[in-house]
Amino acid sequence: MTYRRLTMTDRKEGPDGEASVITKTRPKTQRPPMYKVLLLNDDYTPMEFVVHILERFFGLSHAQSFEIMLTVHKKGLAVVGVYSYEVAETKVAQVMDFARRHQHPLQCTMEKE
Ligand code: TYC
C-alpha cells in the first residue's frame, strides 16, 4: 500500500489569504495477488515426460522446457510460471491430472508470490 504525504505544495491560499488543504485523491486500485506455479523433483518421473508437460501446459519452447526440467532435477524445484489464482489453480490441476493418468509421481504446487 502506498501513502502519500501532504506537502506544502498541497496547501493553497485563496484570494482572502485563508489557507485550505487540497487533498489529491487517487483511486486505490489493488492488483490481484499473483501465484507461482512450482514443479517438484522426484526420482521416477521421466525427464521427457516433464519436458512434454512444460511444453503442453505452460506454452514453453522445447529448449526452455528442457532447461527448466534440468533446474528442477538439479535443485529440487523451480518456478515454471506466475499467474492469477484461477489460472495457477488450473495449471496445477492439469499437471497433477496428466501425471496421475500416466502413473508418474510428479508433483506441482502453487504459492502466493
Ligand atoms: N529426477 C527425474 C529423473 O531423474 C526427472 C525429473 C525432473 C522429475 C523434473 C521431476 O519435476 C521433475 N528421471
Side-chain angles (χ1 to χ4, degrees):
M1 185 106 54
T2 315
Y3 293 99
R4 190 170 152 280
R5 237 176 243 288
L6 280 176
T7 64
M8 288 307 289
T9 57
D10 296 320
R11 295 178 176 282
K12 297 279 185 270
E13 281 185 20
D16 56 355
E18 194 184 304
S20 62
V21 177
I22 312 296
T23 55
K24 293 179 183 168
T25 57
R26 223 173 10 182
K28 282 179 189 149
T29 50
Q30 292 275 19
R31 288 175 193 284
M34 298 294 274
Y35 290 79
K36 295 182 283 192
V37 171
L38 304 156
L39 204 59
L40 276 58
N41 189 36
D42 66 73
D43 292 339
Y44 307 102
T45 306
M47 290 184 170
E48 319 81 69
F49 184 81
V50 177
V51 171
H52 178 74
I53 279 202
L54 292 170
E55 291 176 310
R56 179 164 174 164
F57 298 118
F58 297 91
L60 299 169
S61 70
H62 188 78
Q64 288 173 314
S65 298
F66 196 86
E67 204 174 306
I68 292 176
M69 181 281 297
L70 267 190
T71 302
V72 178
H73 177 70
K74 289 188 209 156
K75 308 228 164 162
L77 84 180
V79 175
V80 301
V82 180
Y83 308 95
S84 68
Y85 184 86
E86 290 79 4
V87 174
E89 202 183 31
T90 302
K91 303 274 182 203
V92 170
Q94 286 172 328
V95 173
M96 294 299 283
D97 183 58
F98 194 71
R100 193 189 51 78
R101 281 193 282 124
H102 289 83
Q103 304 187 20
H104 294 309
L106 183 65
Q107 294 294 309
C108 184
T109 60
M110 59 194 274
E111 183 178 286
K112 200 170 184 176
E113 212 183 24

